[in-house]
Amino acid sequence: MLLALLEILTAPLWWATPFVITATTDQPPALAFLWWAGAELLLTTPPLLYAARRRKLPLTGVLLNIPCVYATKAVNLVYAWKALIVELLLVPLHLARGLTVYEKGRADTRPGLAVTATA
């Protein structure tokens, strides 16, 4: 849980790194972004290669889908921050209800109705 929270808190800092490098050093934006993208690929590629090998997926297909990893990271970051703000800030202050109510059972059946299996 703490690792996930740390990732949520530090992800915006990591994504802002090229802009910070450009603002604080004399490097041009293209070079700062190139260094950042290289570091990002070095951190992202090994887990993808390991997963592809372990699940016996075609390596080229996995590598071609690397841009989708970044789109997924961006969407996950937005929802993680929303959950962080709502659940850890607004709910304890009684300014909002929790994001989700988890109930045991199937969502498509009403309580009290038995689901019968047909052969």
Side-chain angles (χ1 to χ4, degrees):
M1 185 71 183
L2 288 175
L3 186 59
L5 186 60
L6 182 65
E7 182 182 2
I8 292 168
L9 294 174
T10 58
L13 299 173
W14 175 249
W15 286 48
T17 300
F19 304 106
V20 172
I21 290 173
T22 301
T24 58
T25 64
D26 293 333
Q27 291 195 8
L31 186 60
F33 179 76
L34 187 65
W35 276 103
W36 176 84
E40 179 66 26
L41 279 175
L42 285 174
L43 292 172
T44 301
T45 305
L48 290 176
L49 295 176
Y50 174 75
R53 183 174 176 211
R54 184 174 171 121
R55 294 180 181 241
K56 297 178 177 76
L57 297 172
L59 189 58
T60 56
V62 171
L63 294 177
L64 287 175
N65 285 317
I66 284 181
C68 298
V69 170
Y70 296 107
T72 304
K73 281 183 180 184
V75 171
N76 287 344
L77 183 65
V78 169
Y79 282 106
W81 269 94
K82 179 181 177 183
L84 186 76
I85 290 169
V86 170
E87 297 293 341
L88 296 180
L89 185 66
L90 298 179
V91 170
L93 294 174
H94 302 290
L95 298 174
R97 293 180 55 211
L99 292 174
T100 306
V101 175
Y102 294 101
E103 295 182 14
K104 186 176 179 179
R106 291 178 43 158
D108 60 346
T109 59
R110 287 185 273 146
L113 293 179
V115 178
T116 59
T118 57

